[in-house]
Amino acid sequence: MFDLAKAQDQGFDAERLDRIPRFLAKTYIDNGRLPNAQLVVARNGEPVHYTRLGKMGDDGRDLKDDALFRIASMTKPVTSIAFMQLVEHCKIALEDPVSRVFPEFADLAVYGGGGGAVPFAPGKPAAQMRFVDLMTHMSGFTYGLQNRNNIDAAYREHDFDFARHHLSSDEYVSKLSQLPLEFSPGEGWNYSVSTDVLGIAVERISGMRLGEYFEKHIFGPLGMKDTAFGARNDGKERLVDAYAYRPGAEPRMIDTGASSKLNHEGSFDSGGGGLVGSIADYHRFATMLLNGGELDGARIISPKTLRLMRTNHLPGNADLTQMSSSLFSEANNAGTGFGLGFAMVIDPAKALMPSSMGEFYWGGAYSTAFFVDPVEQITMVFMTQVYPSSIYPIRRQIKTLIYSALTETYA
């Protein structure tokens, strides 16, 4: 699967790295808490450890090296890179009002009451939303999965999370524009559909469907042959089953790979969470990020642009404990900032786990995860398929195991 370098040549203790599969098997796979686990750890772009455990799904087949996973919100960094490519071409700017591309959003209002059984009350006009507000999740949009208030409930009614089955991009924007914002853009942080809107912006600016844009400008140049909005032609054989957590019982299978709707083209490409891909593909994407935007001669983004993206954009260099009221689990709040499509460590001591200043990362709702440590030159990609990602502390545990195996530091 991966041509592994010698761990000791890259500053790792091989025996300590071997703790990872033993821990995953004992804690998650053998007892059924996770159906499968796939992990690659690399340093300086060289893979030094690979783990593959578990089954493809309920049919009992062993997990394939080239298995396809629903990477969910790990789509967001890809969409963010795509948008910043357009910024580099001066086709759009971060400070531009969103209404330049979306006239539907010219007259948004902040929530003023109502919802549910009664219409939303007229709210005060919102400040002009900018594209940087979308990229930082400071737009005022929300997610139905937050399940906190009447705005979230309206998002669930429109089924925005599964728009690929019933909405076009334009229909998505039209319905979203009729709902109030949770707060005025720039005044708070809320994990939301912002990156879905950003993906539609890529479509409108480029004149291409989002999946086509990704293929031409990111996946093709990087050799990411297995990643797309939906499974490829052999998806029925390679797409793993998806599961949902059940307290006190093994996870329940909610979508089979063989019969999943992801084997058929949808009507909407979700820039916030719609991609299906392999661990090898996302390893190439993560390595490109580690390299400052380039891999094997393919320049995807400039290092200066990427540096801007992985810089904390929260006001006053705040962390998410100070800015967020969201229910989400793709990052820890303490010591964590947020940039243009990534979370990043801004205070390792507050994060209370081994990490490096400026390490950036994100995850997906089915418990997938990745991180890039530009100080130690380490990347990690983890794949599994259980929803939601908040149920197990597995991301923290994997990071602890990886850093505990490091014998030579660049810090």
Side-chain angles (χ1 to χ4, degrees):
M1 176 60 176
F2 291 102
D3 186 12
L4 297 181
K6 290 184 177 179
Q8 59 268 31
D9 291 346
Q10 295 296 333
F12 278 103
D13 183 316
E15 291 185 1
R16 284 179 168 241
L17 285 174
D18 286 342
R19 293 174 179 174
I20 297 173
R22 294 198 299 269
F23 173 83
L24 291 174
K26 180 179 179 180
T27 309
Y28 291 106
I29 303 299
D30 293 348
N31 56 20
R33 298 174 79 192
L34 290 178
N36 47 49
Q38 216 174 9
L39 172 81
V40 60
V41 180
R43 198 176 200 194
N44 300 306
E46 298 290 333
V48 295
H49 179 82
Y50 172 60
T51 288
R52 174 174 59 88
L53 298 167
K55 305 297 182 180
M56 293 289 292
D58 279 6
D59 62 10
R61 290 179 298 146
D62 287 341
L63 183 66
K64 294 175 177 287
D65 284 326
D66 62 352
L68 301 177
F69 294 83
R70 300 155 189 81
I71 65 171
S73 286
M74 280 166 58
T75 305
K76 288 180 170 70
V78 181
T79 303
S80 300
I81 289 287
F83 183 82
M84 293 304 292
Q85 289 180 326
L86 299 175
V87 170
E88 288 191 332
H89 284 282
C90 294
K91 294 183 178 180
I92 199 69
L94 288 170
E95 64 267 30
D96 283 344
V98 170
S99 58
R100 175 182 166 186
V101 175
F102 298 104
E104 301 96 324
F105 293 151
D107 299 309
L108 295 173
V110 178
Y111 178 72
V118 298
F120 285 112
K124 67 177 182 179
Q128 279 291 312
M129 187 186 300
R130 303 166 300 160
F131 282 101
V132 68
D133 297 321
L134 291 177
M135 297 199 75
T136 57
H137 289 286
M138 297 182 69
S139 63
F141 291 135
T142 188
Y143 259 135
L145 58 84
Q146 302 283 5
N147 202 19
R148 300 166 304 161
N149 54 44
N150 286 341
I151 310 174
D152 303 338
Y155 278 53
R156 292 194 297 277
E157 289 175 12
H158 288 299
D159 201 16
F160 286 144
D161 288 355
F162 300 98
R164 80 181 306 272
H165 304 314
H166 65 101
L167 294 176
S168 68
S169 296
D170 288 344
E171 290 169 338
Y172 189 97
V173 171
S174 177
K175 291 181 180 294
L176 188 60
S177 69
Q178 298 168 30
L179 301 177
L181 299 176
E182 185 167 308
F183 50 79
S184 194
E187 293 185 359
W189 193 95
N190 187 38
Y191 196 37
S192 72
V193 301
S194 290
T195 316
D196 282 305
V197 175
L198 195 72
I200 301 171
V202 171
E203 291 186 336
R204 292 191 177 186
I205 296 166
S206 69
M208 303 171 68
R209 184 156 170 172
L210 190 60
E212 295 171 353
Y213 183 94
F214 283 178
E215 180 62 32
K216 181 176 181 179
H217 296 284
I218 300 175
F219 299 156
L222 290 179
M224 296 172 63
K225 57 184 176 60
D226 290 326
T227 306
F229 286 105
R232 297 291 193 180
N233 293 333
D234 56 351
K236 290 183 179 181
E237 293 297 319
R238 295 170 58 197
L239 182 63
V240 300
D241 293 352
Y243 294 80
Y245 172 71
R246 289 189 297 177
E250 290 189 6
R252 174 178 59 91
M253 197 267 287
I254 56 175
D255 185 41
T256 63
S259 62
S260 175
K261 292 181 179 179
L262 291 168
N263 292 310
H264 307 284
E265 185 175 6
S267 57
F268 175 74
D269 290 345
S270 168
L275 287 175
V276 169
S278 65
I279 193 170
D281 272 9
Y282 215 90
H283 165 69
R284 292 188 65 79
F285 182 74
T287 306
M288 176 273 293
L289 297 176
L290 178 71
N291 292 346
E294 181 272 340
L295 182 64
D296 294 342
R299 171 62 62 185
I300 303 301
I301 202 94
S302 84
K304 204 69 174 177
T305 300
L306 184 57
R307 189 68 183 84
L308 177 66
M309 296 180 71
R310 62 181 186 86
T311 297
N312 186 25
H313 284 253
L314 300 182
N317 201 37
D319 70 7
L320 289 174
T321 61
Q322 299 164 279
M323 294 294 299
S324 172
S325 58
S326 291
L327 303 174
F328 72 103
S329 57
E330 311 315 332
N332 296 295
N333 284 352
T336 299
F338 202 86
L340 305 180
F342 308 100
M344 71 282 306
V345 176
I346 61 173
D347 190 333
K350 287 185 178 179
L352 294 179
M353 75 173 79
S355 56
S356 296
M357 181 74 77
E359 177 184 303
F360 58 106
Y361 60 96
W362 204 239
Y366 291 95
S367 303
T368 59
F370 83 99
F371 75 79
V372 178
D373 182 341
V375 175
E376 299 292 0
Q377 294 289 294
I378 295 171
T379 61
M380 182 282 296
V381 182
F382 175 71
M383 296 291 193
T384 189
Q385 209 78 155
V386 173
Y387 177 93
S389 57
S390 57
I391 51 176
Y392 306 132
I394 191 166
R395 294 168 178 169
R396 172 183 291 270
Q397 292 165 337
I398 288 172
K399 282 190 66 178
T400 299
L401 289 164
I402 291 171
Y403 282 112
S404 70
L406 194 63
T407 58
E408 298 176 13
T409 177
Y410 300 150

